[in-house]
DNA sequence: CTGTTAGCGCTTTCAA
DNA sequence: TTGAAAGCGCTAACAG
């Protein structure tokens, strides 16, 4: 690998001092236009770029933002990983930095990895994701004055320890309910997560509120909960479908559970969208591909990435931002197919 | 953010020179056991870690491996992104390095980004992925003596410009055919990609070879091709199903096309697995979730990541490695459900 | 506006 | 085995 051009080589060739070359790059307004032009030409000729490590050493900032890819496959963020990382990388680059990936165990144990990265001054800050209930990372970083921004709240009830962006789950399920009410449904079931799961509770709140607001039934017997957040064989939906007064529509807390409901419906000879309307949440890649297409709530991943990076640099700006997901209507929730069966 | 401990602080506290501390970390065998113990204790007390940038500057190696996340969503690698990046990150960490993410346009244009990273000495090498036909990156990096390893071949027919790992597509579809022949099928159709797409051609070869070997029909009229590699509405399958002598089983070149076939079957009142056996390729998350579950070929992503990193460090070791995908049998390809309907 | 000096924190080289 | 000197390539601070 060829040795890269240095500042000194540029300086010599341009007949100026090293500092002038540095200024040409970092503070061009300080140079006489002629000098600037001459130096710039030499820079281009030689293809010179400041050595990132030397600059980092001197400026005490690595230009790297740490991002942890969960060590164990937990499934939930899975469906966004691709979109999110792509967007985050692009956003971070817009400010001339890069994303540094690392792995760490969940919980307290993982803090050692963050500490290591910090002790080596390998990163300037962190973007947090896969936030868990009572996640210790946020407070830990805040206490050390480390810049960070989080996709996801810590859900402890206490004030958030730092800037965050999250998706408004209640708004999402409320949109789904409104959509179903507009189709004439008044008995809309909710396929939730385990009670106490803050994401599930949030999404349940939206279902409850919207049902009340729009005159649909609100009744705890319209709620069933999935045992496994990431894989459901349809048990939750089955419970509601086999009840005395089954709902005519189902709002699921996520796509995995909605997909489980497909199985439960099929077993009972019912068709999603025709016999029972169904909506999911997350707009996973699968939602667009199954038959019939699953109506779902698309998380504004690209916007989340943009805001997270902005909050990282301007932590005072806005401490928290709640973004509305967007309802993507497919055949699973509309009686009339209307060509939307994608 | 608190200033990190330096070598000098450790040295002073331990009553030794800076160099001795450096040796305690990088060449402990050079120290007297007593000195080593004393220095190590101080290192632990202070939580000292060498500053990565200073070390990198001095040793001329950043400890960072570049990985490009494709700028445009091309869909194909999408399904692996999560697993692959996780595995790659872990592998790279095993040797004390980290992954640096960046974006770059496809083709020649993107080389400027690689050049920039190199000129700044921001990375020690690259792991390539999303390899395109005639991908210019490999030869470009080789010509500059930059370490790299590729997931995916360049498919030009010329010798590969550097170490690579890839999945043996032909072996995969051959496995699928053998599985179908074992179920009694002799007319097995192939749902391929556009002719000339080397991935599709490779997978087609396996189908053809295995059909010939196992006495199944081999006939170009058993082949239909999808227009769009990433989204197929079932047109390919429809062409075969509506032919004079339709196949009783279908091997698709990827899951997206197989999923398209679900639609074509449904429209004709046929059930995957019951009336027509069907297999996909890639074992996308969707394959496990659709009804019936889609039999598919799982790429050994974790092993690919491990080998890519090994090749990066030992380019002479093995220039190319072809890995066998694993057939994951689900209900779409077996007449008897057998409880495998996942 | 330009140049000189100093030093970021580390490891390599060489001397003791 | 340990220590001192030098310098990786850059920019902050200041002098001219």
């Amino acid at each position: 690998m060829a040795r890269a051009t240095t500042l000194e080589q540029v300086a010599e060739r341009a007949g100026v001092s090293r500092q002038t070359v540095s200024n040409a790059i970092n503070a061009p307004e300080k140079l006489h236009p002629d000098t600037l032009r001459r130096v710039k030409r030499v820079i281009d000729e030689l293809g010179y770029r400041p050595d990132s490590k030397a600059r980092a050493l001197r400026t005490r900032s690595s230009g790297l933002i740490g991002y942890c890819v969960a060590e164990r496959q937990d499934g939930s963020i899975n469906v966004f990983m691709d979109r999110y990382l792509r967007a985050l990388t692009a956003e971070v680059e817009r400010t001339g930095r890069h994303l540094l990936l690392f792995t760490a165990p969940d919980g307290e144990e993982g803090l050692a990895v963050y500490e290591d990265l910090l002790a080596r001054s390998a990163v300037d800050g962190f973007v947090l994701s896969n936030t868990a209930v009572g996640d210790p990372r946020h407070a830990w970083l805040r206490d050390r004055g480390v810049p960070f921004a989080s996709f996801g709240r810590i859900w402890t009830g206490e004030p958030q320890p730092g800037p965050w962006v999250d998706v408004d789950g209640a708004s999402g399920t409320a949109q789904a309910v409104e959509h179903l009410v507009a189709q004439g449904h008044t008995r809309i079931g909710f396929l939730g997560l385990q009670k106490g799961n803050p994401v599930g509770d949030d999404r349940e709140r939206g279902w409850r509120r919207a049902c009340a607001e729009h005159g649909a039934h609100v009744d705890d017997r319209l709620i069933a909960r999935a045992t496994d957040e990431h894989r459901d064989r349809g048990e939750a939906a089955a419970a509601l479908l086999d009840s005395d007064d089954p709902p005519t529509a189902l709002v699921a807390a996520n796509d995995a559970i909605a997909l489980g409901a497909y199985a439960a419906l099929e077993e009972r000879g019912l068709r999603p969208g025709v016999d029972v309307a169904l909506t999911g949440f997350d707009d996973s890649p699968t939602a667009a591909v199954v038959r019939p297409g699953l109506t779902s709530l698309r998380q504004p991943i690209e916007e989340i990435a943009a805001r997270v990076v902005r909050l990282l640099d301007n932590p005072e700006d806005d401490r928290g931002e709640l973004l509305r997901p967007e309802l993507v209507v497919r055949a699973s929730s509309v009686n009339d197919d209307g060509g939307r069966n994608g």
Side-chain angles (χ1 to χ4, degrees), chain A residues 230-242:
Chain A
H230 307 308
R231 205 142 303 177
D232 180 87
R233 297 253 163 262
E235 296 87 351
L240 294 185
L241 294 172
D242 295 342

Side-chain angles (χ1 to χ4, degrees), chain A residues 48-126:
Chain A
Y48 169 73
R49 300 291 156 71
D51 181 291
S52 58
K53 304 176 303 297
R55 166 182 267 179
L57 180 59
R58 186 65 247 234
T59 60
R60 298 174 173 290
S61 88
S62 66
L64 260 20
I65 304 298
Y67 181 83
C68 178
V69 294
E71 205 161 60
R72 58 166 199 206
Q73 188 128 1
D74 106 320
S76 67
I77 204 67
N78 220 325
V79 294
F80 308 126
M81 179 82 160
D82 180 50
R83 272 173 73 202
Y84 187 54
L85 232 36
R86 197 184 304 280
L88 209 52
T89 303
E91 287 300 330
V92 164
E93 277 179 358
R94 288 156 59 89
T95 51
R97 295 169 298 184
H98 287 285
L99 221 51
L100 178 147
L101 253 43
F102 65 96
T103 63
D106 285 342
E108 303 275 347
E109 207 189 333
L111 295 178
V113 179
Y114 289 78
E115 181 152 47
D116 183 72
L117 254 9
L118 255 12
R120 316 188 105 90
S121 305
V123 297
D124 296 337
F126 294 94

Side-chain angles (χ1 to χ4, degrees), chain A residues 10-11 14 16-17 20-22 24-25 31 33-45:
Chain A
V10 176
V16 294
S17 74
T20 299
V21 179
S22 177
I25 290 169
L31 296 199
D34 290 345
T35 319
L36 181 59
R37 208 172 313 121
R38 196 171 73 243
V39 174
K40 285 236 169 193
R41 198 179 49 235
V42 177
I43 287 176
D44 285 346
E45 278 171 22

Side-chain angles (χ1 to χ4, degrees), chain A residues 35-340:
Chain A
T35 319
L36 181 59
R37 208 172 313 121
R38 196 171 73 243
V39 174
K40 285 236 169 193
R41 198 179 49 235
V42 177
I43 287 176
D44 285 346
E45 278 171 22
L46 267 38
Y48 169 73
R49 300 291 156 71
D51 181 291
S52 58
K53 304 176 303 297
R55 166 182 267 179
L57 180 59
R58 186 65 247 234
T59 60
R60 298 174 173 290
S61 88
S62 66
L64 260 20
I65 304 298
Y67 181 83
C68 178
V69 294
E71 205 161 60
R72 58 166 199 206
Q73 188 128 1
D74 106 320
S76 67
I77 204 67
N78 220 325
V79 294
F80 308 126
M81 179 82 160
D82 180 50
R83 272 173 73 202
Y84 187 54
L85 232 36
R86 197 184 304 280
L88 209 52
T89 303
E91 287 300 330
V92 164
E93 277 179 358
R94 288 156 59 89
T95 51
R97 295 169 298 184
H98 287 285
L99 221 51
L100 178 147
L101 253 43
F102 65 96
T103 63
D106 285 342
E108 303 275 347
E109 207 189 333
L111 295 178
V113 179
Y114 289 78
E115 181 152 47
D116 183 72
L117 254 9
L118 255 12
R120 316 188 105 90
S121 305
V123 297
D124 296 337
F126 294 94
V127 166
L128 303 181
S129 191
N130 292 300
T131 308
V133 178
D135 203 311
R137 299 176 297 172
H138 304 67
W140 190 90
L141 291 170
R142 177 204 54 200
D143 292 347
R144 281 158 187 74
V146 180
F148 74 93
S150 173
F151 172 14
R153 287 160 275 182
I154 58 165
W155 295 111
T156 53
E158 288 158 43
Q160 299 288 327
W164 56 273
V165 181
D166 210 345
V167 168
D168 189 342
S171 151
T173 43
Q175 285 180 63
V177 167
E178 283 159 28
H179 163 68
L180 293 168
V181 166
Q183 315 276 316
H185 296 280
T186 56
R187 284 191 70 76
I188 302 171
F190 182 71
L191 304 176
L193 309 182
Q194 290 298 300
K195 201 151 197 158
N197 179 321
V199 172
D201 292 349
D202 184 29
R203 295 177 183 184
E204 183 177 322
R205 257 191 304 280
W207 163 81
R208 196 179 293 275
R209 190 206 325 143
C211 281
E213 267 178 27
H214 296 89
H217 292 260
V218 179
D219 183 340
D220 280 355
R221 281 168 300 180
L222 282 171
I223 300 180
R225 300 179 190 287
T227 319
D228 181 343
E229 180 179 346
H230 307 308
R231 205 142 303 177
D232 180 87
R233 297 253 163 262
E235 296 87 351
L240 294 185
L241 294 172
D242 295 342
S243 67
D244 293 338
D245 192 2
T248 62
L250 295 170
V251 169
N254 66 35
D255 281 2
I257 294 169
L259 262 3
Y262 274 60
L265 290 169
E266 182 189 306
E267 283 162 15
R268 285 159 183 74
L270 299 169
R271 288 157 301 171
V274 180
D275 302 306
V276 175
L278 180 62
T279 68
F281 205 120
D282 288 344
D283 196 31
S284 58
T286 305
V289 165
V290 287
R291 313 283 303 178
L294 173 64
T295 293
S296 193
L297 287 145
R298 182 178 169 89
Q299 305 215 15
I301 295 294
E302 287 72 19
E303 171 137 28
I304 290 168
R307 298 213 183 192
V308 161
V309 173
R310 209 189 53 204
L311 286 174
L312 186 62
D313 296 325
N314 309 51
E316 319 296 323
D317 240 29
D318 296 287
R319 302 282 303 176
E321 303 184 4
L322 218 41
L323 267 35
R324 256 171 76 91
E326 180 199 358
L327 188 73
V328 180
V329 177
R330 299 199 182 86
S332 74
S333 66
V334 286
N335 222 311
D336 163 19
D337 189 297
R340 280 187 286 202

